[in-house]
Amino acid sequence: MAENVLTDALGLKKLKEGDAFKSIFVVVSISPKIDKNGRTYYDVAVSDASGSFEAKVWSDAQWLDKSGAAASDDEHIDAEKIPTLCGRTVGVNGKVSGYRGQMQYSFAKITLLNQEKFPPAQYMQHSPIGIDKLTARLNALIDSCGGEAGAFVKNVFTGEFITRFSYWPAAVGHHHAYANGLLEHTVSVAASARAMAQSMRESGYEIDVDVVTVGALLHDIGKLEAYKMESAPEMTTEGAFIDHVALGFALFGELAAKHGLSRKLALHLQHIILSHHGQREYGSPVVPATPEALIVSAADELDFHIFCWSDSVKNLHDTQEISPWSASAQRRFWKV
């Protein structure tokens, strides 16, 4: 049995039952729970540059503070201060165990580290695709658009807007929940949508390829208001109670007015933003009613599910074909 394996989040998922480990992570979330004996334990989500995962912190775990200047500082963290660890860098000692046929991770000791010596940004997860490559793909998609839609999107993706857009997460969970995640997801959706639109035109359908591309590039702009990116992706108050679809509709209205977009094109792009989740039960106030909206919605759903497949099977051993249950996608995935 391995003892005190030094690992990152990606390596952790490859450990075996009974293995002990230690590492440094940024705390993404801490949720207190009560066990059957009335004792408090915590569901904790952490991440580093290689990925993220969830762990249990049982009632007998140690919470220590070594964030002071002196390395010998070793103070116990009171329960009321535990939630303040969100977004901060901690050292953990833990163990892998089995639970209902799946691996479960538990932390026996969580130590708050000096945030200057161990800055959270150093342990932040980013898109696995380099920012230069993502930016080049975005620019190519923007440059491919002509007419009024093309001129509009070229004006939108400038200055502070593109700076934030390139850095922001696409979610706090589920998919692309890391720095540059919104950019990665958007260029994937837009490239797929444009390819589908071109293919459909070649099949004889009347499709505006530029509207599809611009709609795909703008479909998730509400996430700029729904999330914030500090040490880890976080939900804003607006994101929790208004949601990114409605926020995107409102933000697009401001951009359309600022850049003098025609009423007809503005309405079409607003419809794409409002309908891109495909169904009302999935958060769309309206369902897609144009070929362009149908294509963007299909491309968005496809990218989400392909991401979930990739994330679910990437850590399976060579002899494993079936992934653990994906709560996000509501299915198990098959590694063929």
Side-chain angles (χ1 to χ4, degrees):
M1 181 176 68
E3 291 291 340
N4 294 321
V5 176
L6 180 62
T7 185
D8 57 13
L10 182 61
L12 180 65
K13 295 178 180 180
K14 297 182 179 180
L15 296 181
K16 303 183 297 296
E17 183 176 348
D19 285 347
F21 61 87
K22 58 182 178 180
S23 194
I24 296 175
F25 299 110
V26 172
V27 179
V28 177
S29 65
I30 302 176
S31 300
K33 307 286 184 178
I34 303 296
D35 66 19
K36 61 183 180 181
N37 296 313
R39 296 172 299 191
T40 300
Y41 71 97
Y42 297 86
D43 286 338
V44 178
V46 298
S47 69
D48 63 13
S50 72
S52 60
F53 69 98
E54 296 180 352
K56 302 288 185 182
V57 185
W58 303 114
S59 57
D60 58 351
Q62 292 181 286
W63 297 83
L64 303 176
D65 186 350
K66 289 190 177 181
S67 61
S72 59
D73 290 349
D74 192 351
E75 299 180 3
H76 177 74
I77 297 176
D78 295 331
E80 64 269 19
K81 294 184 178 180
I82 288 175
T84 67
L85 269 61
C86 282
R88 306 180 78 179
T89 312
V90 298
V92 303
N93 292 75
K95 188 175 182 179
V96 183
S97 59
Y99 180 71
R100 294 182 177 178
Q102 297 187 29
M103 294 296 100
Q104 184 179 83
Y105 310 100
S106 59
F107 297 157
K109 183 166 70 173
I110 304 91
T111 304
L112 177 63
L113 302 176
N114 185 297
Q115 302 300 287
E116 292 184 2
K117 294 181 179 178
F118 301 92
Q122 180 178 328
Y123 300 91
M124 185 185 300
Q125 187 181 7
H126 292 73
S127 168
I129 304 172
I131 186 64
D132 290 342
K133 184 175 181 179
L134 289 172
T135 301
R137 292 182 64 193
L138 174 67
N139 290 334
L141 286 162
I142 292 172
D143 292 341
S144 72
C145 299
E148 184 186 10
F152 173 68
V153 79
K154 289 179 177 69
N155 287 328
V156 168
F157 279 87
T158 58
E160 182 183 356
F161 182 94
I162 194 169
T163 298
R164 292 181 66 220
F165 191 92
S166 298
Y167 183 58
W168 240 233
V172 295
H174 301 300
H175 73 104
H176 302 90
Y178 42 67
N180 318 128
L182 179 58
L183 177 60
E184 179 190 336
H185 171 63
T186 297
V187 297
S188 178
V189 171
S192 296
R194 186 173 182 84
M196 282 193 282
Q198 290 172 330
S199 177
M200 298 297 280
R201 275 185 63 88
E202 292 172 2
S203 297
Y205 293 101
E206 294 183 8
I207 308 288
D208 191 321
V209 177
D210 289 336
V211 168
V212 168
T213 308
V214 172
L217 290 171
L218 298 174
H219 80 281
D220 265 348
I221 58 173
K223 292 183 175 181
L224 293 172
E225 307 299 330
Y227 307 125
K228 57 184 177 180
M229 191 71 200
E230 296 182 353
S231 300
E234 296 180 40
M235 182 80 73
T236 64
T237 303
E238 294 84 352
F241 299 109
I242 299 177
D243 187 66
H244 78 278
V245 176
L247 291 168
F249 176 81
L251 177 56
F252 175 85
E254 296 175 6
L255 294 170
K258 176 181 178 181
H259 297 291
L261 200 62
S262 68
R263 180 177 180 274
K264 183 177 181 180
L265 179 56
L267 284 174
H268 199 171
L269 291 171
Q270 284 175 319
H271 175 69
I272 290 174
I273 290 171
L274 285 178
S275 66
H276 77 265
H277 274 196
Q279 300 181 48
R280 289 185 175 90
E281 55 265 40
Y282 295 159
S284 280
V286 296
V287 296
T290 67
E292 292 78 10
L294 285 163
I295 289 172
V296 173
S297 175
D300 182 53
E301 183 178 13
L302 178 63
D303 188 66
F304 165 72
H305 281 109
I306 294 295
F307 178 94
C308 290
W309 174 87
S310 178
D311 192 55
S312 296
V313 306
K314 67 183 180 182
N315 295 314
L316 295 180
H317 296 294
D318 293 339
T319 58
Q320 293 178 294
E321 293 184 339
I322 304 171
S323 78
W325 177 258
S326 170
S328 299
Q330 288 294 292
R331 69 194 73 188
R332 297 182 189 274
F333 287 103
W334 183 17
K335 185 178 182 181
V336 182

